[in-house]
Amino acid sequence: SILLIGDSDIAFWPEHLLPTNPSVRQVLVKGQSGAVLGDLVVQLERELEGLSSSMLHSLIILACAGENDIGSGLSLDMTLASMQRFLDAAFGSQSGGAVQVSHLLFLGPKFEPWLKDDPSSKKQYSKLSRAMAKCCQRHSHAERIHFMDCLTMFCTPETATMPGATLGGKACPDSKYFADDGLHLSPAGYEKWKQKVEEQLLLRLSSTTS
């Protein structure tokens, strides 16, 4: 099974565009608008406890959070500490727990249209993305964790690949991937996420069974 957990990006994910895989029996969505990474730790522990009483034995987690940490004024150190606790919570039941997390995919922050005239926040997004990736790479279960760099995923092709794009100065978000509020994804945006996530699921589940 797949558990989608996170902020409004998860909460607003259209049901018909949820990522899946032939090996997946069910997709569970637990999104909370406005959630910061610290909120996800408590939420994940609660969800894992609830799932432990079910017939579920193997779980893939797809997580997304961090952008609200910046909007809430939380320091990078505080966000990364929450990130570490979240990863620890995901794999804390590996020694005998009823639910075994086989893989964790983490969707990183993305450049959004509202950031166009806010270079300071854009640089914070970039810095957070790099720090989150390192946190995943350094975790004791790093081989089961994949950080998906989404910074320029929804930017126009010509600006997404420009030198320095991921540093915040060059990349320009493509409005077709976003809702009218310039903040949340449109169906086209979720369709792209679905494709990218399913590519990772295919790669990781295939390597597990081979």
Side-chain angles (χ1 to χ4, degrees):
S1 295
I2 303 177
L3 171 64
L4 277 69
I5 186 169
D7 54 24
S8 58
D9 282 325
I10 296 296
F12 295 167
W13 203 306
E15 185 176 356
H16 70 285
L17 292 175
L18 289 172
T20 187
N21 179 278
S23 301
V24 173
R25 292 184 296 171
Q26 62 178 331
V27 180
L28 309 170
V29 181
K30 302 294 180 180
Q32 178 185 343
S33 295
V36 296
L37 256 168
D39 297 327
L40 261 64
V41 179
V42 177
Q43 187 180 4
L44 179 61
E45 290 174 341
R46 182 171 61 245
E47 295 301 328
L48 290 178
E49 182 178 354
L51 290 170
S52 66
S53 61
S54 70
M55 297 298 291
L56 180 64
H57 297 292
S58 181
L59 181 70
I60 299 168
I61 296 176
L62 175 62
C64 180
E67 295 176 353
N68 290 325
D69 290 60
I70 293 177
S72 300
L74 298 177
S75 69
L76 180 60
D77 286 343
M78 291 179 65
T79 300
L80 292 180
S82 295
M83 178 86 169
Q84 183 67 45
R85 292 199 307 274
F86 178 79
L87 298 178
D88 289 345
F91 295 99
S93 62
Q94 298 306 290
S95 55
V99 179
Q100 299 290 305
V101 176
S102 59
H103 300 285
L104 189 152
L105 308 180
F106 201 102
L107 298 167
K110 59 194 178 305
F111 288 148
E112 300 160 337
W114 74 270
L115 290 167
K116 179 180 178 182
D117 299 317
D118 190 349
S120 176
S121 292
K122 212 173 182 181
K123 289 180 180 179
Q124 285 183 284
Y125 271 50
S126 180
K127 189 174 182 180
L128 176 61
S129 181
R130 295 194 301 271
M132 282 179 156
K134 289 182 180 179
C135 186
C136 291
Q137 292 165 2
R138 293 171 179 172
H139 195 267
S140 58
H141 288 277
E143 73 281 358
R144 298 185 182 184
I145 303 171
H146 178 67
F147 179 80
M148 297 182 65
D149 187 345
C150 301
L151 268 182
T152 61
M153 187 179 291
F154 304 103
C155 292
T156 59
E158 61 272 16
T159 63
T161 56
M162 291 177 66
T166 58
L167 298 179
K170 305 288 186 179
C172 180
D174 192 331
S175 60
K176 73 179 182 182
Y177 292 123
F178 294 89
D180 292 339
D181 61 7
L183 176 64
H184 297 101
L185 290 176
S186 66
Y190 280 108
E191 178 67 44
K192 188 161 190 174
W193 246 355
K194 171 182 169 68
Q195 175 190 348
K196 297 295 185 181
V197 170
E198 288 181 345
E199 288 174 358
Q200 283 300 319
L201 291 176
L202 182 62
L203 177 64
R204 292 177 175 272
L205 293 177
S206 297
S207 62
T208 300
T209 56
S210 60

Short mmCIF file of all heavy atoms in Angstrom, two decimals, residues 102-150:
data_model
loop_
_atom_site.label_atom_id
_atom_site.label_comp_id
_atom_site.label_asym_id
_atom_site.label_seq_id
_atom_site.Cartn_x
_atom_site.Cartn_y
_atom_site.Cartn_z
N SER A 102 8.82 -0.08 3.30
CA SER A 102 9.79 -0.57 2.32
C SER A 102 10.51 0.58 1.62
O SER A 102 11.71 0.49 1.35
CB SER A 102 9.10 -1.46 1.28
OG SER A 102 8.09 -0.74 0.60
N HIS A 103 9.78 1.65 1.34
CA HIS A 103 10.37 2.80 0.66
C HIS A 103 9.69 4.08 1.11
O HIS A 103 8.51 4.08 1.47
CB HIS A 103 10.21 2.68 -0.87
CG HIS A 103 10.84 1.47 -1.45
ND1 HIS A 103 12.20 1.33 -1.62
CD2 HIS A 103 10.30 0.31 -1.91
CE1 HIS A 103 12.47 0.16 -2.16
NE2 HIS A 103 11.33 -0.48 -2.34
N LEU A 104 10.44 5.16 1.08
CA LEU A 104 9.89 6.48 1.38
C LEU A 104 10.33 7.44 0.28
O LEU A 104 11.53 7.61 0.04
CB LEU A 104 10.37 6.98 2.75
CG LEU A 104 9.71 8.26 3.29
CD1 LEU A 104 9.72 8.26 4.82
CD2 LEU A 104 10.39 9.53 2.77
N LEU A 105 9.37 8.04 -0.38
CA LEU A 105 9.63 9.06 -1.39
C LEU A 105 9.23 10.40 -0.80
O LEU A 105 8.12 10.55 -0.30
CB LEU A 105 8.83 8.79 -2.67
CG LEU A 105 8.95 7.40 -3.31
CD1 LEU A 105 8.08 7.33 -4.55
CD2 LEU A 105 10.40 7.08 -3.63
N PHE A 106 10.13 11.36 -0.88
CA PHE A 106 9.84 12.68 -0.31
C PHE A 106 9.85 13.73 -1.42
O PHE A 106 10.86 13.91 -2.11
CB PHE A 106 10.86 13.06 0.77
CG PHE A 106 10.36 14.11 1.71
CD1 PHE A 106 9.89 13.77 2.98
CD2 PHE A 106 10.32 15.44 1.34
CE1 PHE A 106 9.41 14.73 3.85
CE2 PHE A 106 9.82 16.42 2.19
CZ PHE A 106 9.37 16.07 3.45
N LEU A 107 8.72 14.39 -1.60
CA LEU A 107 8.60 15.44 -2.61
C LEU A 107 9.10 16.76 -2.04
O LEU A 107 8.53 17.29 -1.08
CB LEU A 107 7.14 15.58 -3.04
CG LEU A 107 6.51 14.35 -3.70
CD1 LEU A 107 4.99 14.51 -3.80
CD2 LEU A 107 7.11 14.12 -5.08
N GLY A 108 10.16 17.28 -2.63
CA GLY A 108 10.75 18.51 -2.13
C GLY A 108 9.99 19.75 -2.54
O GLY A 108 9.05 19.70 -3.33
N PRO A 109 10.39 20.92 -2.01
CA PRO A 109 9.73 22.18 -2.35
C PRO A 109 9.86 22.51 -3.83
O PRO A 109 10.82 22.09 -4.48
CB PRO A 109 10.44 23.21 -1.47
CG PRO A 109 11.76 22.59 -1.13
CD PRO A 109 11.50 21.12 -1.06
N LYS A 110 8.90 23.25 -4.34
CA LYS A 110 8.85 23.59 -5.76
C LYS A 110 8.70 25.09 -5.94
O LYS A 110 8.02 25.75 -5.15
CB LYS A 110 7.68 22.85 -6.43
CG LYS A 110 6.34 23.20 -5.82
CD LYS A 110 5.26 22.22 -6.25
CE LYS A 110 3.93 22.57 -5.57
NZ LYS A 110 4.03 22.63 -4.09
N PHE A 111 9.32 25.63 -6.98
CA PHE A 111 9.12 27.03 -7.29
C PHE A 111 7.69 27.23 -7.78
O PHE A 111 7.21 26.50 -8.66
CB PHE A 111 10.11 27.49 -8.36
CG PHE A 111 11.53 27.61 -7.87
CD1 PHE A 111 12.59 27.35 -8.72
CD2 PHE A 111 11.81 27.97 -6.56
CE1 PHE A 111 13.90 27.47 -8.28
CE2 PHE A 111 13.12 28.08 -6.11
CZ PHE A 111 14.17 27.83 -6.97
N GLU A 112 7.00 28.23 -7.22
CA GLU A 112 5.60 28.50 -7.54
C GLU A 112 5.45 29.92 -8.06
O GLU A 112 6.29 30.79 -7.76
CB GLU A 112 4.75 28.29 -6.28
CG GLU A 112 4.85 26.87 -5.74
CD GLU A 112 4.44 26.73 -4.28
OE1 GLU A 112 4.50 27.74 -3.55
OE2 GLU A 112 4.09 25.62 -3.88
N PRO A 113 4.39 30.20 -8.84
CA PRO A 113 4.22 31.53 -9.44
C PRO A 113 4.27 32.69 -8.46
O PRO A 113 4.77 33.76 -8.80
CB PRO A 113 2.84 31.42 -10.10
CG PRO A 113 2.73 29.97 -10.47
CD PRO A 113 3.37 29.24 -9.32
N TRP A 114 3.76 32.50 -7.26
CA TRP A 114 3.73 33.61 -6.31
C TRP A 114 5.12 34.05 -5.88
O TRP A 114 5.30 35.15 -5.36
CB TRP A 114 2.89 33.25 -5.08
CG TRP A 114 3.54 32.28 -4.13
CD1 TRP A 114 3.47 30.94 -4.15
CD2 TRP A 114 4.38 32.62 -3.02
NE1 TRP A 114 4.21 30.39 -3.13
CE2 TRP A 114 4.77 31.39 -2.41
CE3 TRP A 114 4.83 33.82 -2.47
CZ2 TRP A 114 5.60 31.35 -1.29
CZ3 TRP A 114 5.67 33.76 -1.34
CH2 TRP A 114 6.04 32.54 -0.77
N LEU A 115 6.12 33.19 -6.11
CA LEU A 115 7.50 33.49 -5.73
C LEU A 115 8.20 34.40 -6.74
O LEU A 115 9.32 34.84 -6.49
CB LEU A 115 8.31 32.20 -5.60
CG LEU A 115 7.98 31.28 -4.41
CD1 LEU A 115 8.64 29.93 -4.60
CD2 LEU A 115 8.41 31.93 -3.11
N LYS A 116 7.54 34.67 -7.85
CA LYS A 116 8.16 35.40 -8.95
C LYS A 116 8.81 36.71 -8.49
O LYS A 116 9.92 37.05 -8.90
CB LYS A 116 7.12 35.69 -10.03
CG LYS A 116 7.67 36.48 -11.22
CD LYS A 116 6.59 36.73 -12.26
CE LYS A 116 7.11 37.56 -13.42
NZ LYS A 116 6.03 37.84 -14.42
N ASP A 117 8.13 37.45 -7.62
CA ASP A 117 8.64 38.75 -7.16
C ASP A 117 9.15 38.69 -5.73
O ASP A 117 9.19 39.71 -5.03
CB ASP A 117 7.53 39.81 -7.28
CG ASP A 117 7.06 40.00 -8.72
OD1 ASP A 117 7.92 40.03 -9.62
OD2 ASP A 117 5.84 40.09 -8.94
N ASP A 118 9.51 37.50 -5.30
CA ASP A 118 10.02 37.31 -3.94
C ASP A 118 11.31 36.50 -3.99
O ASP A 118 11.34 35.32 -3.62
CB ASP A 118 8.97 36.60 -3.09
CG ASP A 118 9.32 36.58 -1.61
OD1 ASP A 118 10.46 36.94 -1.25
OD2 ASP A 118 8.45 36.19 -0.80
N PRO A 119 12.41 37.11 -4.45
CA PRO A 119 13.67 36.37 -4.59
C PRO A 119 14.20 35.82 -3.28
O PRO A 119 14.86 34.79 -3.25
CB PRO A 119 14.63 37.42 -5.18
CG PRO A 119 14.01 38.74 -4.83
CD PRO A 119 12.54 38.51 -4.87
N SER A 120 13.89 36.49 -2.17
CA SER A 120 14.37 36.02 -0.87
C SER A 120 13.75 34.67 -0.53
O SER A 120 14.46 33.73 -0.13
CB SER A 120 14.02 37.04 0.21
OG SER A 120 14.41 36.55 1.50
N SER A 121 12.44 34.54 -0.69
CA SER A 121 11.77 33.26 -0.42
C SER A 121 12.22 32.19 -1.40
O SER A 121 12.36 31.02 -1.06
CB SER A 121 10.25 33.42 -0.50
OG SER A 121 9.77 34.23 0.56
N LYS A 122 12.45 32.60 -2.64
CA LYS A 122 12.90 31.66 -3.66
C LYS A 122 14.24 31.04 -3.27
O LYS A 122 14.46 29.84 -3.41
CB LYS A 122 13.01 32.37 -5.00
CG LYS A 122 12.71 31.50 -6.21
CD LYS A 122 12.67 32.33 -7.48
CE LYS A 122 12.31 31.47 -8.68
NZ LYS A 122 12.30 32.26 -9.93
N LYS A 123 15.12 31.86 -2.73
CA LYS A 123 16.42 31.36 -2.28
C LYS A 123 16.25 30.44 -1.07
O LYS A 123 16.99 29.45 -0.93
CB LYS A 123 17.33 32.53 -1.94
CG LYS A 123 17.81 33.30 -3.16
CD LYS A 123 18.72 34.46 -2.77
CE LYS A 123 19.19 35.21 -4.00
NZ LYS A 123 20.05 36.37 -3.65
N GLN A 124 15.28 30.74 -0.23
CA GLN A 124 15.01 29.87 0.92
C GLN A 124 14.51 28.51 0.46
O GLN A 124 14.88 27.48 1.03
CB GLN A 124 13.98 30.51 1.85
CG GLN A 124 14.52 31.64 2.70
CD GLN A 124 13.46 32.19 3.65
OE1 GLN A 124 12.55 32.91 3.26
NE2 GLN A 124 13.58 31.82 4.90
N TYR A 125 13.67 28.49 -0.56
CA TYR A 125 13.18 27.23 -1.12
C TYR A 125 14.34 26.40 -1.64
O TYR A 125 14.42 25.19 -1.44
CB TYR A 125 12.19 27.50 -2.25
CG TYR A 125 10.75 27.66 -1.83
CD1 TYR A 125 10.39 28.51 -0.78
CD2 TYR A 125 9.73 26.97 -2.47
CE1 TYR A 125 9.07 28.66 -0.39
CE2 TYR A 125 8.40 27.11 -2.08
CZ TYR A 125 8.08 27.96 -1.05
OH TYR A 125 6.77 28.10 -0.66
N SER A 126 15.23 27.07 -2.35
CA SER A 126 16.38 26.40 -2.93
C SER A 126 17.29 25.82 -1.84
O SER A 126 17.74 24.66 -1.93
CB SER A 126 17.17 27.39 -3.80
OG SER A 126 18.29 26.77 -4.38
N LYS A 127 17.54 26.62 -0.82
CA LYS A 127 18.39 26.18 0.28
C LYS A 127 17.76 25.01 1.03
O LYS A 127 18.44 24.04 1.40
CB LYS A 127 18.64 27.34 1.24
CG LYS A 127 19.67 27.07 2.31
CD LYS A 127 19.96 28.33 3.13
CE LYS A 127 21.03 28.09 4.17
NZ LYS A 127 21.32 29.33 4.96
N LEU A 128 16.44 25.09 1.24
CA LEU A 128 15.74 24.01 1.94
C LEU A 128 15.78 22.72 1.15
O LEU A 128 15.99 21.64 1.70
CB LEU A 128 14.29 24.42 2.19
CG LEU A 128 13.39 23.36 2.84
CD1 LEU A 128 13.92 22.97 4.21
CD2 LEU A 128 11.96 23.88 2.96
N SER A 129 15.59 22.80 -0.16
CA SER A 129 15.61 21.61 -1.01
C SER A 129 16.95 20.89 -0.91
O SER A 129 17.01 19.67 -0.75
CB SER A 129 15.32 22.00 -2.46
OG SER A 129 15.31 20.87 -3.29
N ARG A 130 18.03 21.64 -1.00
CA ARG A 130 19.36 21.03 -0.93
C ARG A 130 19.60 20.40 0.44
O ARG A 130 20.16 19.30 0.54
CB ARG A 130 20.44 22.07 -1.23
CG ARG A 130 20.41 22.61 -2.66
CD ARG A 130 21.69 23.36 -2.99
NE ARG A 130 21.94 24.48 -2.08
CZ ARG A 130 21.50 25.71 -2.26
NH1 ARG A 130 20.72 25.98 -3.31
NH2 ARG A 130 21.78 26.67 -1.41
N ALA A 131 19.16 21.08 1.49
CA ALA A 131 19.37 20.56 2.84
C ALA A 131 18.53 19.31 3.09
O ALA A 131 19.00 18.36 3.75
CB ALA A 131 19.00 21.65 3.87
N MET A 132 17.32 19.27 2.57
CA MET A 132 16.47 18.10 2.71
C MET A 132 17.07 16.90 2.00
O MET A 132 17.04 15.77 2.51
CB MET A 132 15.08 18.38 2.14
CG MET A 132 14.17 19.21 3.03
SD MET A 132 12.57 19.49 2.22
CE MET A 132 11.53 19.80 3.65
N ALA A 133 17.60 17.13 0.82
CA ALA A 133 18.23 16.05 0.06
C ALA A 133 19.38 15.44 0.84
O ALA A 133 19.53 14.21 0.92
CB ALA A 133 18.71 16.58 -1.29
N LYS A 134 20.20 16.29 1.46
CA LYS A 134 21.33 15.80 2.25
C LYS A 134 20.85 15.02 3.47
O LYS A 134 21.45 14.00 3.85
CB LYS A 134 22.21 16.98 2.68
CG LYS A 134 23.00 17.61 1.55
CD LYS A 134 23.87 18.74 2.06
CE LYS A 134 24.67 19.37 0.92
NZ LYS A 134 25.52 20.50 1.39
N CYS A 135 19.78 15.50 4.08
CA CYS A 135 19.22 14.82 5.25
C CYS A 135 18.79 13.40 4.89
O CYS A 135 19.04 12.45 5.64
CB CYS A 135 18.04 15.61 5.79
SG CYS A 135 17.34 14.99 7.34
N CYS A 136 18.18 13.25 3.73
CA CYS A 136 17.75 11.93 3.26
C CYS A 136 18.94 11.05 2.94
O CYS A 136 18.96 9.85 3.27
CB CYS A 136 16.86 12.07 2.01
SG CYS A 136 15.24 12.81 2.33
N GLN A 137 19.96 11.63 2.31
CA GLN A 137 21.13 10.87 1.90
C GLN A 137 21.95 10.38 3.09
O GLN A 137 22.62 9.35 3.00
CB GLN A 137 22.01 11.74 1.00
CG GLN A 137 21.38 12.05 -0.35
CD GLN A 137 22.08 13.19 -1.07
OE1 GLN A 137 23.09 13.74 -0.57
NE2 GLN A 137 21.56 13.58 -2.22
N ARG A 138 21.88 11.11 4.19
CA ARG A 138 22.70 10.78 5.37
C ARG A 138 21.97 9.91 6.38
O ARG A 138 22.56 9.49 7.38
CB ARG A 138 23.16 12.07 6.04
CG ARG A 138 24.13 12.88 5.18
CD ARG A 138 24.39 14.24 5.79
NE ARG A 138 25.35 15.03 5.00
CZ ARG A 138 25.64 16.30 5.22
NH1 ARG A 138 25.05 16.95 6.22
NH2 ARG A 138 26.52 16.93 4.45
N HIS A 139 20.70 9.63 6.14
CA HIS A 139 19.94 8.84 7.11
C HIS A 139 20.40 7.39 7.10
O HIS A 139 20.91 6.88 6.10
CB HIS A 139 18.44 8.92 6.78
CG HIS A 139 17.56 8.44 7.88
ND1 HIS A 139 17.12 7.14 7.97
CD2 HIS A 139 17.05 9.09 8.97
CE1 HIS A 139 16.39 7.01 9.06
NE2 HIS A 139 16.32 8.16 9.68
N SER A 140 20.21 6.73 8.23
CA SER A 140 20.67 5.34 8.36
C SER A 140 19.91 4.39 7.42
O SER A 140 20.39 3.29 7.13
CB SER A 140 20.50 4.86 9.81
OG SER A 140 19.14 4.97 10.23
N HIS A 141 18.74 4.81 6.93
CA HIS A 141 17.97 4.00 5.98
C HIS A 141 17.95 4.67 4.60
O HIS A 141 16.98 4.53 3.85
CB HIS A 141 16.55 3.78 6.47
CG HIS A 141 16.45 2.85 7.63
ND1 HIS A 141 16.42 1.48 7.50
CD2 HIS A 141 16.40 3.10 8.97
CE1 HIS A 141 16.34 0.92 8.69
NE2 HIS A 141 16.32 1.87 9.60
N ALA A 142 19.04 5.34 4.27
CA ALA A 142 19.11 6.10 3.03
C ALA A 142 18.82 5.27 1.78
O ALA A 142 18.29 5.79 0.80
CB ALA A 142 20.49 6.76 2.90
N GLU A 143 19.14 3.98 1.83
CA GLU A 143 18.93 3.13 0.66
C GLU A 143 17.44 2.95 0.37
O GLU A 143 17.07 2.54 -0.74
CB GLU A 143 19.60 1.77 0.86
CG GLU A 143 18.93 0.83 1.83
CD GLU A 143 19.22 1.14 3.30
OE1 GLU A 143 19.99 2.10 3.56
OE2 GLU A 143 18.67 0.44 4.17
N ARG A 144 16.59 3.25 1.33
CA ARG A 144 15.14 3.12 1.15
C ARG A 144 14.45 4.47 0.95
O ARG A 144 13.22 4.52 0.84
CB ARG A 144 14.52 2.41 2.35
CG ARG A 144 15.03 1.00 2.57
CD ARG A 144 14.27 0.34 3.71
NE ARG A 144 14.77 -1.00 3.98
CZ ARG A 144 14.25 -1.82 4.88
NH1 ARG A 144 13.19 -1.42 5.57
NH2 ARG A 144 14.75 -3.01 5.08
N ILE A 145 15.24 5.52 0.96
CA ILE A 145 14.68 6.87 0.87
C ILE A 145 15.10 7.52 -0.45
O ILE A 145 16.26 7.44 -0.85
CB ILE A 145 15.17 7.75 2.04
CG1 ILE A 145 14.80 7.10 3.38
CG2 ILE A 145 14.57 9.16 1.95
CD1 ILE A 145 15.44 7.78 4.58
N HIS A 146 14.15 8.15 -1.11
CA HIS A 146 14.47 8.89 -2.33
C HIS A 146 13.88 10.29 -2.24
O HIS A 146 12.66 10.46 -2.12
CB HIS A 146 13.92 8.19 -3.57
CG HIS A 146 14.19 8.93 -4.84
ND1 HIS A 146 15.47 9.10 -5.35
CD2 HIS A 146 13.36 9.59 -5.69
CE1 HIS A 146 15.41 9.80 -6.47
NE2 HIS A 146 14.14 10.12 -6.69
N PHE A 147 14.74 11.28 -2.27
CA PHE A 147 14.29 12.67 -2.27
C PHE A 147 14.08 13.11 -3.71
O PHE A 147 15.00 13.04 -4.53
CB PHE A 147 15.33 13.58 -1.60
CG PHE A 147 14.93 15.04 -1.59
CD1 PHE A 147 14.02 15.51 -0.65
CD2 PHE A 147 15.45 15.91 -2.53
CE1 PHE A 147 13.64 16.85 -0.65
CE2 PHE A 147 15.07 17.25 -2.54
CZ PHE A 147 14.16 17.71 -1.60
N MET A 148 12.87 13.55 -4.01
CA MET A 148 12.55 13.99 -5.36
C MET A 148 12.69 15.51 -5.45
O MET A 148 11.94 16.25 -4.82
CB MET A 148 11.13 13.56 -5.74
CG MET A 148 10.97 12.04 -5.77
SD MET A 148 9.32 11.48 -6.29
CE MET A 148 9.29 12.06 -7.99
N ASP A 149 13.69 15.95 -6.19
CA ASP A 149 13.95 17.38 -6.35
C ASP A 149 12.87 17.97 -7.27
O ASP A 149 12.85 17.69 -8.47
CB ASP A 149 15.34 17.58 -6.95
CG ASP A 149 15.75 19.05 -6.99
OD1 ASP A 149 14.87 19.93 -6.85
OD2 ASP A 149 16.95 19.32 -7.19
N CYS A 150 12.00 18.79 -6.70
CA CYS A 150 10.88 19.36 -7.46
C CYS A 150 11.04 20.85 -7.74
O CYS A 150 10.12 21.48 -8.28
CB CYS A 150 9.57 19.14 -6.70
SG CYS A 150 9.18 17.41 -6.36
#
